[in-house]
Amino acid sequence: MKRLLILCGFALMSGFLLSSCSKDEDEPVPPTVAFNQQSGFITSDVTAAFGDTLNFGIILQSNGTDNLVKFEIKANGLTLLDSTINTQSFTYNFYTIKGISDQEIWAFTATDIAGNRKEETITITGAFGQINSYTTILVGAQDNVATESFLSFSNNEATKYFQAQAFQNQDKIDIFCFFENTATHQNMMSLGSPGSNINGVFTGASSPDNYTTKNLTRFYKTTITAAQFDAIQNDAVLLDAYNADEARKKASVLAAGEVYAIKIQSGLTGLIKVIAVSGEEAGTLEIAVKIQKQ
């Protein structure tokens, strides 16, 4: 009887060991997702400025048995690539440009023919520049004697000048306000700059026509809404909004709610939101400005 019990015990133990081995062997083995470690490639979470080039090198490897059949790339949940493959290993190199998002979570997923999946992620955090914000600036057109027509963004300040003062500080003048409605020029309430070759609007010896230093500001009308403008906290959207190929030397026929991207002579980029337009040659223009800090 004792011998029988021992044999039964061995039989039970053997069954347990066989069962355990079988369970281990059935554990799914997913593929691997790795990143190219060579110099110049993104290998882990990083920070990046707007416009930076981000190089990715993705290396997929099967579990040695089940072929890889699918490769996906997502950025902040948006599918950018969903590729069907059939191979034991796969390498995919690509680059992208850092956009305006404060954070980008890139997810790379490999799936094999047995349905095993593996995902790895890399987070790109925006390292954006600071901006100066001016919630309301009132400027006057050329015949307004009560409100300044000229504006400077030098030294991280928004400084207004009357025409005579502006002439003495012409190296600082970035923008002026004017109204023009003639047979040949229907610009209405507008913004320009000393370098925009707008002549005959301001008169006298101190007019921009007579400047020896003529800073040029270029303007590009954006599709940014007033609410979107108000929400901007850094320079990423400012840089993204400016279109050098389509920018013009003046912003004319201004209307409340419009947002213009600007680039001033010093190279700083900004946005101007039109708040209110009133009157004609002696009228006023109320704007808000967000511009890169120097």
Side-chain angles (χ1 to χ4, degrees), residues 57-249:
I58 315 304
I59 303 170
L60 311 182
Q61 187 64 49
S62 74
N63 59 14
T65 302
D66 303 305
N67 269 11
L68 303 167
V69 294
K70 188 176 184 180
F71 175 49
E72 296 174 275
I73 299 177
K74 292 183 179 181
N76 288 349
L78 177 66
T79 299
L80 303 180
L81 178 70
D82 188 346
S83 180
T84 299
I85 55 179
N86 187 15
T87 183
Q88 284 283 304
S89 61
F90 185 73
T91 299
Y92 189 80
N93 296 329
F94 73 100
Y95 77 91
T96 186
I97 304 299
K98 180 68 186 81
I100 64 175
S101 298
D102 291 331
Q103 188 177 77
E104 299 174 10
I105 300 176
W106 289 79
F108 308 95
T109 306
T111 305
D112 65 24
I113 197 167
N116 302 313
R117 298 175 74 254
K118 181 64 176 179
E119 178 182 279
E120 295 288 350
T121 63
I122 284 181
T123 299
I124 311 295
T125 302
F128 302 138
Q130 295 181 321
I131 59 174
N132 292 314
S133 297
Y134 307 103
T135 56
T136 179
I137 299 174
L138 187 69
V139 289
Q142 64 270 23
D143 291 343
N144 190 322
V145 297
T147 305
E148 300 91 335
S149 301
F150 296 80
L151 183 60
S152 165
F153 296 113
S154 296
N155 302 317
N156 289 313
E157 296 179 349
T159 305
K160 299 190 298 179
Y161 297 93
F162 287 106
Q163 181 175 321
Q165 296 171 314
F167 187 79
Q168 300 301 321
N169 293 275
Q170 56 190 258
D171 60 318
K172 300 177 182 178
I173 303 303
D174 295 304
I175 287 173
F176 57 66
C177 174
F178 69 100
F179 183 93
E180 188 176 33
N181 184 16
T182 67
T184 55
H185 298 92
Q186 293 84 44
N187 288 313
M188 314 309 281
M189 192 65 77
S190 303
L191 290 171
S193 66
S196 58
N197 297 321
I198 297 170
N199 299 316
V201 173
F202 293 89
T203 59
S206 61
S207 76
D209 305 15
N210 299 318
Y211 282 13
T212 56
T213 300
K214 296 186 177 184
N215 292 333
L216 175 63
T217 294
R218 289 187 173 273
F219 303 82
Y220 173 72
K221 188 175 181 179
T222 75
T223 58
I224 295 172
T225 66
Q228 289 170 333
F229 172 93
D230 294 341
I232 294 170
Q233 300 294 323
N234 56 60
D235 71 349
V237 176
L238 279 59
L239 293 166
D240 185 56
Y242 183 73
N243 185 334
D245 294 333
E246 299 294 331
R248 298 291 181 261
K249 292 182 179 181

Side-chain angles (χ1 to χ4, degrees), residues 215-294:
N215 292 333
L216 175 63
T217 294
R218 289 187 173 273
F219 303 82
Y220 173 72
K221 188 175 181 179
T222 75
T223 58
I224 295 172
T225 66
Q228 289 170 333
F229 172 93
D230 294 341
I232 294 170
Q233 300 294 323
N234 56 60
D235 71 349
V237 176
L238 279 59
L239 293 166
D240 185 56
Y242 183 73
N243 185 334
D245 294 333
E246 299 294 331
R248 298 291 181 261
K249 292 182 179 181
K250 64 177 180 290
S252 56
V253 196
L254 297 174
E258 294 177 337
V259 177
Y260 284 82
I262 63 170
K263 190 167 188 177
I264 64 176
Q265 184 73 44
S266 66
L268 298 179
T269 302
L271 288 173
I272 294 176
K273 178 183 71 173
V274 180
I275 299 174
V277 179
S278 178
E280 299 183 351
E281 287 87 348
T284 58
L285 173 68
E286 185 181 4
I287 59 175
V289 178
K290 296 192 176 187
I291 191 166
Q292 290 176 298
K293 284 192 174 182
Q294 292 176 320

